């Protein structure tokens, strides 16, 4: 999915958010095994929520706008296939939050990340206050959000906000390399692993262990598990079918 709003460095307005939600609803997760989200152009992934649209909002309008974005980002987070953010350039505000809703983040060496919202009199409104601390830890998240400071790719890598930095030219190549690695594995198992990792974050240890145990057991109901293990024991390779 490529976000393309050339006049505003791919800022997210209501129409774009609606279109993103509709597009995600149509993704056939039985056919496709991974999704990559990127921004159009060299300069920006997403330069935030659309400031000109937000400038006219009242509290109820702000809540509705925030909810629209939060719902789309939650769809990404709970999509049955992994989602990779390929961040080329600015990932500010809602752009950083979009990357945070993805499972995996990689970026180009010209990428810049930040949550500039408090410098505009608002707070991160697409679940950034929730997801940023989960990814980089409470202390660093608080510093980034309170200071509205923008950080470069190498600092994003250092604090664990991204998994890798590559050149702008290699960005999609690297995203596709990771996607292809994922796509070669048993898709039902990958989806189960995603459900577990997401759910366990909110559960205590005993409930988390139970959740994983159930999902683990269910894997043994799949043909992919049987064929994959048989192929391993026979020193062969099985092409997973998602069944
Ligand atoms: N919104 C609207 N337009 C934007 C934009 C944005 N976020 N970012 C850039 N643009 C527009 C610029 O206005 C400019 O338009 P023209 O002047 O050409 O018409 C064009 O894109 C090119 O930008 P610049 O001329 O500024 O380009 P530069 O290279 O000089 O600077 C920049 C690039 C990314 C550093 C700069 O544009 C910038 O600082 N942009 C704003 C970044 C930002 O602050 N983003 C965070 C937005 S706040 C909530 C819901 C949602 C949110 C919060 C709360 N609730 C409901 C509670 C989310 C908030 C945000 O995301």
């Amino acid at each position: 999915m490529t976000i393309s709003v050339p006049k505003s460095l791919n800022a997210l307005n209501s129409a774009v958010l609606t279109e993103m939600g509709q597009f995600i609803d149509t993704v056939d997760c039985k056919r496709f095994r991974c999704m990559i989200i990127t921004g159009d152009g060299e300069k920006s992934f997403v330069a935030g929520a659309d400031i000109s649209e937000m400038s006219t909002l009242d509290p109820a309008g702000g809540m509705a706008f925030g909810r629209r974005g939060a719902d789309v980002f939650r769809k990404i987070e709970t999509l049955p296939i992994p989602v990779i953010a390929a961040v080329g350039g600015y990932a500010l505000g809602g752009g950083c939050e979009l990357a945070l809703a993805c499972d995996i983040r990689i970026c180009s060496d010209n990428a810049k990340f930040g949550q500039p919202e408090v410098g505009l009199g608002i707070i991160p409104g697409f679940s950034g206050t929730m997801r940023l601390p989960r990814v980089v830890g409470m202390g660093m998240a608080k510093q980034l959000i309170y200071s509205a400071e923008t950080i470069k790719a190498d600092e994003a890598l250092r604090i664990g906000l991204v998994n890798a930095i590559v050149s702008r030219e290699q960005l999609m190549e690297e995203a596709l390399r990771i996607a292809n690695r994922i796509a070669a594995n048993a898709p039902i198992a990958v989806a189960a692993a995603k459900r577990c990792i997401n759910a366990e974050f909110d559960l205590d240890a005993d409930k988390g262990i139970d959740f994983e145990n159930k999902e683990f057991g269910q894997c043994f109901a799949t043909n992919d598990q049987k064929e994959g293990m048989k192929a391993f024991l026979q020193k062969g390779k099985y092409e997973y079918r998602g069944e």
Side-chain angles (χ1 to χ4, degrees):
M1 175 165 72
T2 302
I3 319 277
S4 180
V5 194
K7 67 176 165 52
S8 61
L9 298 174
N10 306 329
L12 302 175
N13 57 38
S14 295
V16 173
L17 287 168
T18 302
E19 218 181 310
M20 285 168 72
Q22 285 166 347
F23 174 75
I24 293 161
D25 287 341
T26 67
V27 173
D28 180 354
C29 294
K30 293 234 175 306
R31 183 167 165 223
F32 297 106
R33 297 189 181 181
C34 197
M35 182 175 184
I36 298 169
I37 300 182
T38 197
D40 196 16
E42 296 302 300
K43 211 173 149 182
S44 185
F45 174 66
V46 166
D50 190 312
I51 299 171
S52 40
E53 183 173 342
M54 287 192 295
S55 65
T56 61
L57 297 177
D58 62 9
M63 267 182 87
F65 185 68
R67 171 60 65 183
R68 192 188 296 244
D71 287 351
V72 173
F73 290 10
R74 183 70 176 149
K75 274 183 204 273
I76 293 168
E77 190 171 53
T78 57
L79 200 70
I81 55 175
V83 183
I84 300 171
V87 177
Y90 293 111
L92 301 176
C96 190
E97 292 171 292
L98 172 59
L100 286 164
C102 299
D103 296 279
I104 293 166
R105 285 159 292 285
I106 61 167
C107 74
S108 60
D109 45 20
N110 71 332
K112 291 208 173 92
F113 295 83
Q115 299 289 162
E117 286 90 346
V118 297
L120 294 163
I122 55 171
I123 61 170
F126 297 156
S127 316
T129 59
M130 182 182 76
R131 293 199 184 98
L132 188 60
R134 291 176 175 201
V135 173
V136 303
M138 179 91 83
M140 190 52 78
K142 284 181 169 175
Q143 183 175 333
L144 286 171
I145 291 172
Y146 301 164
S147 71
E149 193 186 355
T150 298
I151 57 168
K152 292 185 179 158
D154 53 355
E155 177 67 354
L157 180 67
R158 193 188 70 79
I159 66 174
L161 182 51
V162 296
N163 296 358
I165 306 172
V166 292
S167 69
R168 186 66 187 85
E169 300 73 49
Q170 284 175 319
L171 185 63
M172 281 311 284
E173 203 179 299
E174 177 60 9
L176 282 164
R177 188 192 67 77
I178 299 169
N180 280 317
R181 287 299 295 250
I182 292 169
N185 296 318
I188 296 172
V190 171
K194 176 165 173 170
R195 273 195 304 277
C196 284
I197 296 167
N198 281 349
E200 285 153 9
F201 219 98
D202 298 318
L203 297 174
D204 68 38
D206 289 321
K207 291 206 175 84
I209 289 163
D210 287 347
F211 193 96
E212 186 193 67
N213 186 247
K214 231 192 224 150
E215 292 280 1
F216 180 70
Q218 282 306 310
C219 292
F220 292 84
T222 65
N223 195 49
D224 280 351
Q225 174 270 329
K226 289 180 188 29
E227 294 298 331
M229 289 192 178
K230 192 162 99 192
F232 174 82
L233 293 172
Q234 293 172 351
K235 311 230 180 284
K237 196 150 174 46
Y238 179 70
E239 266 192 33
Y240 289 107
R241 295 184 186 159
E243 54 190 33

